[in-house]
Amino acid sequence: MNWEERLYLAAHPLAYPLLRGVARRGPVVRVPGVGVVVNDASLARGILMDGETFRKDGPGSPGDLWTPVLGPSVLLNMEGDAHRALRRRLTDLFAPSYTASLCARVLAEPLARLADSLGRGATVDLVDAARVMAGTVIGEVIGLEGGSEAAYRDLFEQGERIVSMVSLRTRRLSPSQVRRAHGVLDPLGDIAAKAYLAGDESTVMGRMRALGLSEDEARGAAGAFFLTGTETVATLVPRLIALLADHGQLRRVAHDLSLHDLSLHDSSLHDFSLLDRAIEEAMRVTTPTPVMLRSVHRPATVGGVAIRPGDRVLIATHNCCRAYGPFDLDRPRPSEPRRLWFGAGPHFCIGYPLAMAQIRLVVRALLAAGPLVISRRSAARGVLIPTYRYLAVRAERAGT
């Protein structure tokens, strides 16, 4: 059993075998108590592109889960004209040039400390380091000022506790879960509102005000960014390094970066180095969004299966992506699974440039520190997105 399977089994000891078992039943399978499960990337992409039939704002959809917590207008629970109008206003919020500058600025000190630790031969827990850096960036996004490492670590853990309330069978959060989520998100909303009212257009919240969003919309968006913008990066970085190490590719990717002579502060989305290929391949294998939910609003047929209004569709993104084989940097991949974990069409993740900017910066810094050796690791339990509980690494040249 490889480590990726261990991570999934540790996180979901019952649901993961069920999910993988359903993949063997066909491209579309109706599972009692779960919904209509889609295991094919092409069919999944078609569903994500059809916002009229398959919606995010009906029974069993993400709207059912998150509207009581985030409010009615946060993109991830909207469809139709209202969704298109809000998304148009947010189109330039995370432009590549802005996200590159933001990440380079706020991650400069954490990355310098990380490089220094590895350079001195210290063993570093990449899980903790990635959480602190993800918390640092999202803290900047929502307007948190003067946070310490402990504060950013706590910020991440609070978000993790909210997201971990959700399982494959969860349709709605209970009243007590909603109260717990508000206990975390309301103070963050107050921070975001303060930054919004200050109107500084160098900040994300200030830019939202300039784009014409209301204070309530900005608060909701801050909550959504907080819930969706930390775990993707924090879980991916350790898993990417582990995949490269386990497949003997760490030195190769580091050497390719040195040949490209890329600055650690260049997070352009147009970087087509081997690192970009490694990030894409790691995301395909790890699938940061293992499942996606939609509610059916009109009759349809998907993969030969009739689907009725009111049905809950569960896109098994992990099954869709893993169908194309194990981690392999040299095997050509078709277009069907490409970035499916970020969605498709009108709901493609608006924070994609921000996530990629963070991942590139952190991974480049790690690879520049020298050949890394994994000395210890353990899988996390009780989490929604599978991850390591810790992944201890050291720079090989510093330890010899």
Side-chain angles (χ1 to χ4, degrees), residues 191-383:
I191 293 170
K194 181 180 177 181
Y196 170 91
L197 293 172
D200 182 354
E201 293 188 32
S202 68
T203 68
V204 174
M205 292 298 117
R207 294 178 74 208
M208 285 190 186
R209 182 174 182 176
L211 289 168
L213 274 74
S214 69
E215 182 179 334
D216 284 344
E217 287 174 327
R219 288 179 70 109
F225 295 152
F226 171 66
L227 291 179
T228 62
T230 52
E231 288 202 72
T232 296
V233 175
T235 60
L236 188 278
V237 169
R239 292 169 78 180
L240 169 58
I241 294 298
L243 280 166
L244 290 174
D246 293 343
H247 289 80
Q249 298 294 314
L250 272 173
R251 291 176 183 268
R252 179 187 175 192
V253 177
H255 179 65
D256 183 75
L257 278 175
S258 68
L259 291 179
H260 279 77
D261 191 29
L262 296 172
S263 165
L264 291 179
H265 300 300
D266 171 17
S267 298
S268 165
L269 290 179
H270 304 291
D271 169 16
F272 297 107
S273 70
L274 185 59
L275 174 59
D276 269 15
R277 199 189 318 166
I279 293 171
E280 291 283 337
E281 181 67 353
M283 284 190 165
R284 181 188 67 81
V285 170
T286 63
T287 325
T289 310
V291 300
M292 298 180 185
L293 300 175
R294 290 295 187 272
S295 176
V296 179
H297 278 238
R298 61 188 184 189
T301 300
V302 179
V305 175
I307 298 178
R308 303 178 294 271
D311 277 345
R312 182 197 200 213
V313 172
L314 187 150
I315 297 172
T317 325
H318 183 71
N319 289 344
C320 294
C321 295
R322 288 303 299 270
Y324 293 89
F327 184 84
D328 187 342
L329 292 185
D330 298 309
R331 181 178 178 181
R333 303 292 178 194
S335 60
E336 286 82 2
R338 181 172 172 78
R339 296 175 186 163
L340 193 62
W341 44 91
F342 282 114
H347 285 286
F348 186 79
C349 178
I350 196 169
Y352 166 74
L354 182 65
M356 292 300 292
Q358 293 178 73
I359 291 166
R360 284 197 182 99
L361 276 172
V362 177
V363 175
R364 285 175 180 171
L366 288 167
L367 295 178
L372 300 177
V373 176
I374 298 174
S375 58
R376 202 164 53 101
R377 56 177 138 176
S378 176
R381 301 182 184 278
V383 293

Side-chain angles (χ1 to χ4, degrees), residues 64-270:
D64 249 12
L65 278 171
W66 299 118
T67 297
V69 174
L70 298 172
S73 303
V74 289
L75 288 184
L76 58 79
N77 59 0
M78 299 172 68
E79 292 290 357
D81 292 341
H83 175 267
R84 284 188 287 271
L86 180 57
R87 190 172 179 100
R88 275 196 300 270
R89 283 187 286 168
L90 294 174
T91 297
D92 295 328
L93 187 63
F94 291 125
S97 59
Y98 179 76
T99 58
S101 174
L102 183 152
C103 289
R105 174 170 50 83
V106 303
L107 291 180
E109 288 188 15
L111 288 176
R113 288 194 296 268
L114 178 65
D116 179 67
S117 295
L118 291 170
R120 290 186 286 102
T123 296
V124 172
D125 178 10
L126 285 191
V127 173
D128 182 67
R131 288 180 170 192
V132 169
M133 285 186 275
T136 302
V137 171
I138 207 65
E140 174 72 14
V141 168
I142 65 177
L144 182 64
E145 297 177 353
S148 63
E149 280 197 10
Y152 293 132
R153 190 178 289 113
D154 181 64
L155 192 64
F156 176 88
E157 291 171 355
Q158 290 182 64
E160 187 178 48
R161 283 194 292 271
I162 296 175
V163 174
S164 295
M165 295 177 186
V166 180
S167 71
L168 293 181
R169 299 176 68 90
T170 304
R171 291 176 178 266
R172 294 181 181 88
L173 297 179
S174 69
S176 63
Q177 288 175 322
V178 171
R179 285 194 297 273
R180 290 204 301 273
H182 274 294
V184 173
L185 294 174
D186 288 353
L188 297 179
D190 293 340
I191 293 170
K194 181 180 177 181
Y196 170 91
L197 293 172
D200 182 354
E201 293 188 32
S202 68
T203 68
V204 174
M205 292 298 117
R207 294 178 74 208
M208 285 190 186
R209 182 174 182 176
L211 289 168
L213 274 74
S214 69
E215 182 179 334
D216 284 344
E217 287 174 327
R219 288 179 70 109
F225 295 152
F226 171 66
L227 291 179
T228 62
T230 52
E231 288 202 72
T232 296
V233 175
T235 60
L236 188 278
V237 169
R239 292 169 78 180
L240 169 58
I241 294 298
L243 280 166
L244 290 174
D246 293 343
H247 289 80
Q249 298 294 314
L250 272 173
R251 291 176 183 268
R252 179 187 175 192
V253 177
H255 179 65
D256 183 75
L257 278 175
S258 68
L259 291 179
H260 279 77
D261 191 29
L262 296 172
S263 165
L264 291 179
H265 300 300
D266 171 17
S267 298
S268 165
L269 290 179
H270 304 291

Side-chain angles (χ1 to χ4, degrees), residues 7-75:
L7 296 183
Y8 267 96
L9 286 170
H12 304 289
L14 299 178
Y16 183 64
L18 171 64
L19 189 71
R20 297 302 287 152
V22 170
R24 294 190 287 272
R25 298 286 302 276
V28 183
V29 183
R30 190 178 289 275
V31 180
V34 175
V36 178
V37 180
V38 178
N39 301 306
D40 177 83
S42 294
L43 295 176
R45 193 172 294 279
I47 289 170
L48 294 174
M49 297 292 287
D50 183 357
E52 298 301 319
T53 304
F54 305 96
R55 298 173 65 97
K56 299 189 76 170
D57 59 355
S61 72
D64 249 12
L65 278 171
W66 299 118
T67 297
V69 174
L70 298 172
S73 303
V74 289
L75 288 184

